[in-house]
Amino acid sequence: MSVNRDVESELKYELQDERVGERLLGAEHLGPLSPLGPVDVVRHDDRYFDTPSGALAAAGYAARLRQTPEDTLLAVKSLQPPDAALHVRDELETPVPPVLDIGGWPPSDARALIVELTGDAELVETVRLRQLRRKRRFGDSSTSVEVSLDSVEVQRDGATVDGFVELEVELVRGAVTDLEPVARALDRVDGLTAARSSKLERALAAVRPALAGPPTPSPAPSKSPGVTSDDAFSEAGRKVLRFHFDRMVAREKGTRAAKDPEELHAMRVATRRLRAAWRVFGDTYRIRKTRRIRRSLGEVAGRLGAVRDLDVLLEAAEQYAASLSAKDQAGVKPLFDAWRRRRAEARLSLIEELDNPAYRELLEAFRAFLADDSVARPVKPNRPQLVRDTAPAAIWAAYHRVRAYDGVVVEADLETLHALRIEAKRLRYSLEFFREALGPEAGELVRPTVELQDHLGAMHDFHVAAELTREFLLERAGELDGGESDAVGRYLLNAEREVTRLRRSVGSPWRGVSGARFRRGLGQVLARL
């Protein structure tokens, strides 16, 4: 069968340090080419497949289904050996339904080629690649390329088995010889290595050991700080701080790799709990030994929060867009693209913060604090020292700060409700810090506190979305066409409606924390210390 094939020409590089690729994306020139636009961020979920006997690979082809927020694309590519960093391959691509079933795909050249090579054999998934792609166009009057920095997560049977980072420069317009000056420029960049294999080949090499059998499981990490009622209050604080410090440090690598947004989320949560722990336990330590740690931790937490807040914003935006027609999706795209660019900028600021020597100094100072028995202030013999004597007052104080809102919740403005959310979060953390000492009944108190915090958090997120959308409309009023303005305006109204709905319904989660049942439960739990 004769099938017309397009040709894909691109330069591919492996890199160990993602910052090399980030600097290239932000460069003012790429060889003779200049930037044609800002950095864009997209996510791809690629399912590679073949027959059980490997008919496609044997014929020299790779096939995948690429799921994006907009559609699913079937791609078939030849597996030709590269010439140094240059990969030139035949490629066929077409939209299909998101199913691994030839019978469910409409007629196309790509489908015809797969039928020719596999007959009626079953198709099975061989490996899945989840990619965060940051891309930017460069060009001149005759040439255009797309530079993409891909953070790739390799999955098999739902488990992540490997990850890597790759830089690609794909020819969009021009002749393949136009890539030569770009290749010469990239050859001079330290940290880039010509990729001699495709992403699929790297992924399959990674999953082969996993197919031999499951690895021996590592011991499960501790799920709590291990605070007991007989601990000195200062030592309980160091247990809590050590627990969340270890979690913050453990998530740094995943946060830098940017393959899974939950890594950054977990690192941010750890910093939040660390800062909350300083509020609970901080007065028990010598100020001169902790002041710098607390200040530096705030800087890191702020950078993490800037990225995470935009992750939450974009996740909600993508869910909203999924319910729209293709026309309305195109209408809100300028808004969501602007947020993606802002998120990319916030991530660059975060990486700069983590690369700053001050961050390494923070880690060293924190470790020194955790190992130094002299950091605690001396306590007079007639003053309470143990958790059983000090924790009840700390927890009741956190609860009283929440209950102080009882007379204003129903008519409260958004600023007041946001302040209540912060106090509810601090109450929750206080309960969690002493959870083991309080006993299993403490979980019944944490649950309604989380419900109130989540309700107020969702309201705050929609409020932020509305404010940023309003700001976008004012700034871009003269640039948007009528369809885009209308679509963005409807998104603004949707966000404002959600704020109103959540504000009106705050009574139910509030009663779960302010009511007599919660107070009785709290009193009973604290009395057991």
Side-chain angles (χ1 to χ4, degrees), residues 3 64 92 95 156 158 178 194 283 385 426 470 519:
V3 178
R64 72 165 186 240
L92 295 170
R156 171 79 185 197
D178 295 334
D283 289 344
Q385 303 182 45
R426 291 174 179 172
R470 193 176 290 110
R519 294 198 302 276

Side-chain angles (χ1 to χ4, degrees), residues 10-12 133 146-148 150 166-169 199:
E10 61 185 358
L11 304 170
K12 295 168 68 72
R133 168 166 286 186
E146 181 174 272
V147 181
S148 63
D150 297 339
E166 189 169 283
L167 184 81
E168 296 182 354
V169 181
K199 287 177 181 172

